[in-house]
Amino acid sequence: MLRREDHYMIKQRHQQGAFIVDIAHQIGCSEKTVRRHISYPAPPTAKRGKKQVAKLEPFKDYIDSRLSEQVWNAAVIFEEIREKGYRGGSAMLRRYIHPKRPLRASKNTVRFETLPGYQLQHDWGEIIVEVAGSPCTVNFAVNTLGFSRCFHVFAAPKQDAEHTYESLVRSFNYFGGSVKTVLVDNQKAAVIKHGQNGNIEFNAGFLQLANHYGFSPRACKPYRPQTKGKTERMVGYVKHNFFTRYRQFESFSHVNQLLAMWLVKVADQRHLRQFKQTPENRFTEEKTALMPLPAGDFDTSYFDIRQVAWDSYIDVRGNRYSVPSFWCGRAVNIRIGLDNRLRIYGDEQLLVTHLLQEVTQGWQKVPEHHQALWQQVNRVESRSLSVYEELL
């Protein structure tokens, strides 16, 4: 059982918005114990009889030897001493081990600190909440500046390449500048594969994004998520803070509107105990080190090539869309934005814009596109009757 001081510290740290895992690490107990004390209205008390404590006495030397061997799992030790004749409970054993936990060898990963404006870490999270009155999976991209810990969140229906790139574009606009390196996980939107000798094949679209904003792409080693631990922690922070405050939304736009307010009022004001500052304070130093943004945003639209059929239509995602008949039999470029607008280009000129529709909505057409085709169909050749009289 924890001390009264530990109980009040848990309560205080929880009210400050600290993660349960951080509180457990600081106190030296399990996350389950932290949750239990958060639910208690007052510090629990217990009466320990001398007879019960005496049950553990013959086994303390053995327990200490196992702890010296770095065996700290109380459940394992409990089973071992039961086989040796221990008849007490596991709680007594845990109370004996708890004060010794500061002697445990640390398994913490050394955190790599970056210079201002040097690195941004990207990661995705997801959660099921209510959107437009129905349960919906909300995917959210978290982009965290390595120095200031200031981050931006973008909610989206998918974790595909277009939304990944859009999240980074919005983050750079939010911060007012770009960084020298962007560290990503191994999602296909950014990384095709890890080759030999540490060579990484990046997605062509991600390389275009990197070239547009002038950053160098970096990827975590496979099965090594600690590399981008700063943004990994922020994914959990968004889940347990923002999505605890808000559970119902009208649309994805509504999610992003609330996120924008929450970032300013809550996330940027959180206390960073290792720096004794807030992200907002540290960002004032990092902002001056960011690289300037290019003249225009990177186009995150999906792009492909289509062949225009004889009837002046192209196929896109199961439906058909009209194109000026002059392009029949020729190739055109298409771009699909996150606003579900289909833009069709020929010779780098915008030919037409359609709003994507379900197949049930029918083919999408512009009447003017088929005028030339109808003129050809309605053109009937006229001949003199003398031509037929000669045949007789």
Side-chain angles (χ1 to χ4, degrees), residues 120 122 124 141-143 152-154 161-179 182 205-206 208-215 291-301 338:
L120 178 143
H122 164 86
W124 279 99
V142 181
N143 296 311
H152 178 259
V153 191
F154 169 60
E162 292 76 37
H163 288 92
T164 296
Y165 305 158
E166 181 70 17
S167 78
L168 289 167
V169 170
R170 294 194 182 199
S171 294
F172 291 142
N173 288 336
Y174 177 76
F175 297 133
S178 180
V179 292
V182 171
F206 187 62
Q208 292 175 3
L209 175 70
N211 182 65
H212 186 83
Y213 287 101
F215 66 80
M291 297 189 299
L293 294 175
D297 291 344
F298 178 77
D299 189 351
T300 61
S301 304
L338 297 181

Side-chain angles (χ1 to χ4, degrees), residues 13 16 111 113 147-149 268-283:
R13 299 289 289 123
Q16 293 173 348
R111 180 170 291 172
E113 296 296 342
F147 175 79
S148 65
R149 307 299 200 272
D268 288 349
Q269 308 304 322
R270 69 189 189 279
H271 178 69
L272 303 174
R273 63 176 181 273
Q274 65 270 46
F275 304 118
K276 298 181 179 179
Q277 289 181 296
T278 65
E280 183 181 52
N281 298 144
R282 291 178 64 79
F283 182 68

